[in-house]
Amino acid sequence: MRVLIFTDNPTTGETGLVRKEFQDRGVDVDYKAPWDIALPRFRPDYDLVYVPSNMLHRGSTFEMLHRLLILRRMEEDAVVVNPVDSMLNYSKEHLSLQLGRLGLPHPETVITENIEHAYEFAARLLDEDREVVLKPICMARGIGVMKLSRIRSREDLMQFLVWYIRSYGEGVFYLQEYVPNPGYDVRCLVVGGEVVGREKRSNPDDFRYNVAAGGAASPFDDPVYDELAVKVADAVGLLISGLDILPRSDGEPMVLEANCFPGYKALMDTTGIQIHKLLVDYLIRLVA
Ligand SMILES: Nc1ncnc2c1ncn2[C@@H]1O[C@H](COP(=O)(O)OP(=O)(O)OP(=O)(O)O)[C@@H](O)[C@H]1O
Ligand SMILES: [Mg+2]
């Protein structure tokens, strides 16, 4: 069995652990970045390609197209995880659409390139005494996730939206109602249709509970959201995914995110679960 770890971010600790775990089990594991490969000469010879980093959403559009072709070439002969289509589709927007299709509860959301639509949505919610969250459609760790809490003049709100789209939105607005909640959200890590770890995250100083934004994580042993997490991961086509689930104040769970490249260091630190070993178990099973 030949495995390739294909990444544009080779220094990540979790990826190093996966690589070592493969090696410890005697698996022939190669490690490449997009810039190690030249098309059309490249002849991949792997059973499994594990892609732990977000190489289609970083860099330029040309790099994205080039990397997509490399991945498609790999997928002709090997199992690529996550599947290339799910990587390509990966965005908060895709998640919102899939949740709507499944009829699962989701915060009221608008996704648009049109600043007038964004303004109307924000102004209406603020008018109704609701708060508004803005997010980049493909980012992580709470970066660029911001909240609008008070009514502003039209000029002021427009000015803010213009600033936001330049600084974080990259041309696309993703606006969502703020969901009042009990002060925590739950991250479930799904691997191959199973939840292998969960953590509860909270932050008294920020509405974003991400550990990277200063939140604190603790173990969450209740499997109450497992079925939902597995269903949503499946709906967005992800074999490995980190689901962020925010309970609404009335208890209704809202899925905020299905991560395509979930980090799990905080989850390992919090729960002691050897996630990299479970990942390698799964990846080996997949091609056995
Ligand atoms: N609509 C919302 N209502 C209340 N809180 C929210 C809402 N959206 C996001 N948050 C808070 O902000 C945090 C970050 O949001 P989200 O998970 O959508 O983006 P992200 O963490 O940057 O992306 P990723 O999950 O890919 O790392 C959530 O964990 C949650 O605490
Ligand atoms: Mg998140």
Side-chain angles (χ1 to χ4, degrees):
M1 172 171 165
R2 279 185 40 81
V3 172
L4 171 66
I5 297 178
F6 185 46
T7 175
D8 65 334
N9 193 7
T11 55
T12 310
E14 286 102 319
T15 307
L17 288 175
V18 168
R19 179 189 200 179
K20 184 165 179 310
E21 187 61 29
F22 272 122
Q23 286 168 336
D24 288 351
R25 298 187 195 198
V27 174
D28 185 1
V29 56
D30 211 354
Y31 210 67
K32 281 193 199 308
W35 46 89
D36 294 323
I37 288 168
L39 293 176
R41 208 183 55 224
F42 176 58
R43 292 273 172 272
D45 177 24
Y46 303 100
D47 303 294
L48 175 86
V49 178
Y50 172 53
V51 184
S53 71
N54 201 347
M55 65 171 63
L56 294 183
H57 295 85
R58 284 196 284 252
S60 72
T61 309
F62 289 0
E63 281 167 331
M64 192 269 248
L65 291 171
H66 171 64
R67 291 169 183 189
L68 182 61
L69 283 182
I70 295 175
L71 285 163
R72 290 243 189 268
R73 176 69 194 85
M74 289 173 173
E75 211 166 37
E76 284 171 26
D77 303 311
V79 176
V80 179
V81 179
N82 278 307
V84 179
D85 271 351
S86 72
M87 257 184 248
L88 187 60
N89 281 334
Y90 166 66
S91 72
K92 288 189 166 63
E93 174 168 18
H94 183 236
L95 173 74
S96 297
L97 296 180
Q98 291 306 112
L99 290 171
R101 205 159 281 155
L102 289 174
L104 290 172
H106 186 48
E108 192 177 342
T109 303
V110 71
I111 310 134
T112 179
E113 293 182 30
N114 186 322
I115 196 165
E116 285 293 338
H117 289 312
Y119 171 81
E120 278 163 26
F121 180 86
R124 175 171 61 79
L125 264 61
L126 292 170
D127 222 23
E128 293 168 2
D129 266 342
R130 293 149 83 193
E131 296 177 303
V132 180
V133 178
L134 291 99
K135 306 181 194 185
I137 57 167
C138 284
M139 228 8 133
R141 305 196 304 276
I143 295 166
V145 178
M146 291 184 190
K147 190 160 75 161
L148 282 171
S149 304
R150 60 180 177 80
I151 299 193
R152 299 152 187 241
S153 65
R154 181 179 165 88
E155 290 75 19
D156 191 17
L157 182 46
M158 276 295 196
Q159 201 61 44
F160 175 81
L161 292 172
V162 167
W163 169 80
Y164 187 87
I165 205 76
R166 279 209 194 119
S167 307
Y168 295 105
E170 297 193 26
V172 183
F173 290 104
Y174 184 103
L175 275 74
Q176 189 166 72
E177 66 168 325
Y178 172 77
V179 176
N181 60 79
Y184 64 88
D185 70 2
V186 174
R187 158 65 62 102
C188 293
L189 185 66
V190 173
V191 175
E194 228 181 283
V195 173
V196 299
R198 310 176 202 92
E199 66 184 342
K200 184 171 164 174
R201 308 173 310 177
S202 58
N203 188 349
D205 301 320
D206 202 307
F207 82 97
R208 298 164 306 159
Y209 301 145
N210 307 68
V211 174
S218 56
F220 184 79
D221 296 326
D222 191 341
V224 60
Y225 303 128
D226 286 10
E227 204 183 312
L228 175 64
V230 168
K231 194 189 232 181
V232 174
D234 185 57
V236 291
L238 295 171
L239 300 174
I240 298 172
S241 181
L243 283 295
D244 293 340
I245 299 172
L246 181 74
R248 206 164 57 187
S249 294
D250 65 2
E252 185 84 75
M254 297 281 152
V255 181
L256 293 182
E257 175 68 306
N259 281 277
C260 187
F261 310 93
Y264 45 84
K265 186 179 177 305
L267 184 61
M268 285 178 65
D269 291 346
T270 306
T271 62
I273 300 171
Q274 302 281 286
I275 301 287
H276 59 292
K277 290 187 192 277
L278 299 177
L279 262 181
V280 169
D281 285 345
Y282 169 67
L283 293 171
I284 289 177
R285 263 200 325 270
L286 205 56
V287 290

